[in-house]
């Protein structure tokens, strides 16, 4: 990540006319209160305890972590250097020590704060600084999967659970050093968020806006989950990155072609709530996910994206060429399409297809 080109502003336009979002109006919130129809609402209720035994087990542990009581902020600052550059370097190093895959730091745009929490209480824009933590999704399982089958939730929860552990530990440590810290991690039912993460990921140079409507990192593609610690510890913010993704995604439509709900647009970027972006149809995406009869949450865009491929020397060589010259983009996209990256690899499948029906586990074909 240190060698990726840094720029002063993100590669997509961000205006100053952004409305803060009410947490009750996210796709999850709208689906849960029936705005996407009764079938989708029922699907949310069914997904909540965990449709699948492994993700139900992961959720139990995650729920436990989310109930950790915050330790008090130490009354005295630790006798360590107070230089923001030293502190930023140190906190990122702690994150890598705890096995984060990518760490970043940024100022928190006020518009990134939700306006209200799930209970309707206003959210205060309390902290100016954020440490961003990124964890990869487990690639070999995703490669084996068809992308919208039963292992979707466990793939995401593996990253969420690991993030919860790292984020809570980091926040606890920062408080012990004498600064305030607020951990921000999901998934949404855990309710640990005060901020939307995509603006932080852009500001901290973790990735660029992609056609799939989520942030794409040059080495993990779409195959990651993120979390953050908001803090008053002084930091040196990272700069946004530019690795040529806007031109690449404009030509490549592989995720849109593979999306089972046709939620990913094939056209141009639009302005949405002050952000320039390819606008995902969140209603279609959420509706498919919550009514999927043949699996849990869908990862097909993640799996089929050429940037999500692992960091082997062959893939890294292509990455380097694509980042160096936009003339390579059409050839790289044609090659990725020919490789049919969205295909499953059933011989590597290790999980069982099963689902909770009430308290009973039923096999699914
Ligand atoms: Fe962009 Fe192609 Fe990845 Fe979609 S599949 S996010 S268009 S690079």
């Amino acid at each position: 990540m240190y060698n990726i080109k840094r720029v002063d502003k993100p590669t997509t336009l961000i205006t100053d006319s952004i409305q803060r979002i009410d947490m009750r109006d996210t796709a999850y919130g709208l689906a849960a209160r029936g705005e996407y129809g009764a079938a989708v609402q029922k699907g949310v209720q069914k997904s909540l305890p965990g449709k699948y035994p492994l993700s139900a087990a992961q959720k139990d542990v995650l729920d436990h972590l989310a109930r950790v009581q915050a330790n008090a902020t130490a009354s005295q600052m630790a006798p360590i250097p107070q230089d923001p550059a030293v502190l930023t370097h140190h906190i990122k190093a702690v994150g890598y020590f705890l096995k984060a895959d990518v760490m970043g730091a940024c100022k928190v745009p006020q518009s990134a704060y939700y306006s209200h929490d799930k209970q309707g209480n206003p959210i205060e824009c309390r902290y100016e600084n954020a440490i961003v933590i990124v964890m990869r999704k487990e690639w070999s399982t995703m490669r084996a999967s068809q992308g919208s089958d039963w292992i979707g939730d466990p793939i995401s929860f593996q990253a969420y659970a690991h993030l919860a552990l790292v984020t809570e530990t980091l926040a606890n440590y920062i408080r012990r050093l004498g600064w305030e810290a607020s951990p921000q991690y999901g998934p949404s039912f855990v309710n640990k968020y005060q901020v939307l993460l995509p603006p932080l990921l852009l500001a901290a140079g973790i990735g660029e806006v992609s056609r799939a409507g989520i942030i794409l990192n040059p080495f993990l593609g779409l195959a990651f989950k993120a979390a953050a610690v908001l803090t008053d510890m002084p930091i040196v913010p990272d700069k946004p990155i530019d690795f040529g993704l806007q031109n690449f995604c404009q030509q490549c439509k592989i995720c849109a072609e593979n999306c089972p709900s046709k939620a990913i647009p094939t056209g141009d970027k639009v302005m949405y709530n002050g952000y320039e972006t390819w606008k995902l149809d969140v209603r279609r995406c959420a509706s498919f996910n919550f009514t999927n009869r043949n699996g849990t949450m869908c990862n097909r865009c993640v799996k089929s994206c050429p940037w999500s491929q692992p960091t082997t020397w062959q893939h890294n060589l292509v990455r380097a060429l694509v980042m160096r010259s936009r003339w390579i983009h059409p050839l790289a996209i044609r090659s990725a399409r020919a490789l049919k990256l969205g295909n499953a690899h059933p011989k590597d499948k290790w999980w069982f297809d099963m689902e909770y029906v009430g308290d009973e586990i039923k096999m699914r074909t």
Side-chain angles (χ1 to χ4, degrees):
M1 288 299 294
Y2 292 110
N3 294 325
I4 303 287
K5 183 174 146 195
R6 298 275 162 176
V7 287
D8 291 333
K9 288 183 177 166
T11 51
T12 42
L13 182 65
I14 300 177
T15 68
D16 51 13
S17 61
I18 298 165
Q19 296 292 315
R20 287 169 64 195
I21 292 173
D22 190 318
M23 202 178 268
R24 296 165 294 181
D25 293 337
T26 60
Y28 184 84
L30 293 170
R33 68 168 188 266
E35 304 273 337
Y36 296 162
V40 178
Q41 186 180 31
K42 201 168 154 213
V44 176
Q45 287 154 3
K46 198 171 174 203
S47 298
L48 263 183
K51 268 167 95 174
Y52 189 77
L54 179 52
S55 45
Q58 291 167 304
K59 183 179 175 292
D60 278 351
V61 174
L62 197 52
D63 283 348
H64 215 69
L65 275 170
R67 281 195 286 270
V68 164
Q69 290 296 314
N71 54 323
T73 303
S75 55
Q76 292 203 328
M77 292 282 174
I80 57 175
Q82 306 285 307
D83 177 346
V86 174
L87 291 171
T88 308
H89 182 266
H90 175 69
I91 289 300
K92 285 185 183 174
V94 174
Y96 288 121
F97 172 75
L98 295 172
K99 297 290 176 218
D101 285 306
V102 186
M103 296 291 294
C106 67
K107 292 284 173 197
V108 185
Q110 293 228 334
S111 54
Y113 276 93
Y114 285 105
S115 63
H116 295 81
D117 66 17
K118 283 185 176 169
Q119 286 70 43
N121 305 309
I123 291 180
E124 184 196 346
C125 306
R126 182 159 174 188
Y127 301 102
E128 284 188 0
N129 300 330
I131 307 295
V132 178
I133 307 139
V134 168
M135 209 68 76
R136 71 176 67 232
K137 289 186 176 181
E138 210 280 308
W139 174 249
S140 56
T141 302
M142 189 141 48
R143 183 177 176 275
S145 157
Q146 168 268 356
S148 59
D149 50 29
W150 295 97
I151 202 64
D153 265 354
I155 290 172
S156 293
F157 275 63
Q158 193 273 334
Y160 280 136
H162 198 157
L163 279 168
L165 190 65
V166 174
T167 309
E168 287 285 4
T169 308
L170 208 53
N172 184 311
Y173 176 59
I174 291 172
R175 289 187 215 108
R176 286 172 190 275
L177 297 181
W179 286 278
E180 292 184 23
S182 169
Q184 308 284 309
Y185 57 89
S188 51
F189 54 77
V190 167
N191 204 11
K192 279 275 179 174
Y193 291 121
Q194 291 168 304
V195 291
L196 286 152
L197 289 178
L200 272 56
L201 295 172
L202 276 181
I206 300 297
E208 290 186 51
V209 167
S210 76
R211 180 179 288 281
I214 43 182
I215 305 300
L216 190 153
N217 172 273
F219 297 102
L220 303 175
L222 304 172
F224 70 90
K225 292 285 183 191
V229 176
L230 306 182
T231 180
D232 58 358
M233 172 183 265
I235 53 130
V236 177
D238 290 310
K239 283 182 158 190
I241 54 173
D242 178 0
F243 57 100
L245 188 69
Q246 300 313 297
N247 181 65
F248 195 95
C249 279
Q250 183 64 35
Q251 299 176 55
C252 168
K253 296 173 182 164
I254 293 176
C255 53
E257 292 156 8
N258 279 273
C259 176
S261 64
K262 300 286 169 247
I264 299 175
T266 53
D268 295 336
K269 283 178 277 191
V270 295
M271 290 305 295
Y272 178 75
N273 190 25
Y275 292 99
E276 184 190 13
T277 184
W278 282 280
K279 181 70 185 78
L280 180 77
D281 187 331
V282 287
R283 180 180 185 139
R284 276 174 180 258
C285 179
S287 299
F288 176 82
N289 276 306
F290 290 123
T291 56
N292 184 5
R293 296 168 71 94
N294 301 310
T296 52
M297 291 287 169
C298 177
N299 272 295
R300 266 198 80 68
C301 58
V302 176
K303 174 184 163 64
S304 56
C305 175
W307 291 89
S308 299
Q309 303 313 303
T311 49
T312 58
W313 71 264
Q314 297 94 328
H315 289 303
N316 280 350
L317 180 63
V318 178
R319 273 188 183 91
L321 293 170
V322 164
M323 284 194 256
R324 195 149 300 157
S325 168
R326 57 167 52 201
W327 303 113
I328 308 279
H329 292 186
L331 177 62
I333 293 163
R334 272 204 304 279
S335 310
R337 191 171 276 113
L339 286 170
K340 297 192 190 312
L341 301 170
N343 282 2
H345 291 81
K347 73 174 177 37
D348 296 329
K349 179 180 170 186
W350 54 264
W351 62 93
F352 301 118
D353 293 340
M354 49 188 176
E355 181 183 12
Y356 272 116
V357 178
D359 290 339
E360 234 183 285
I361 296 172
K362 299 269 190 204
M363 296 308 288
R364 297 294 184 221
T365 51

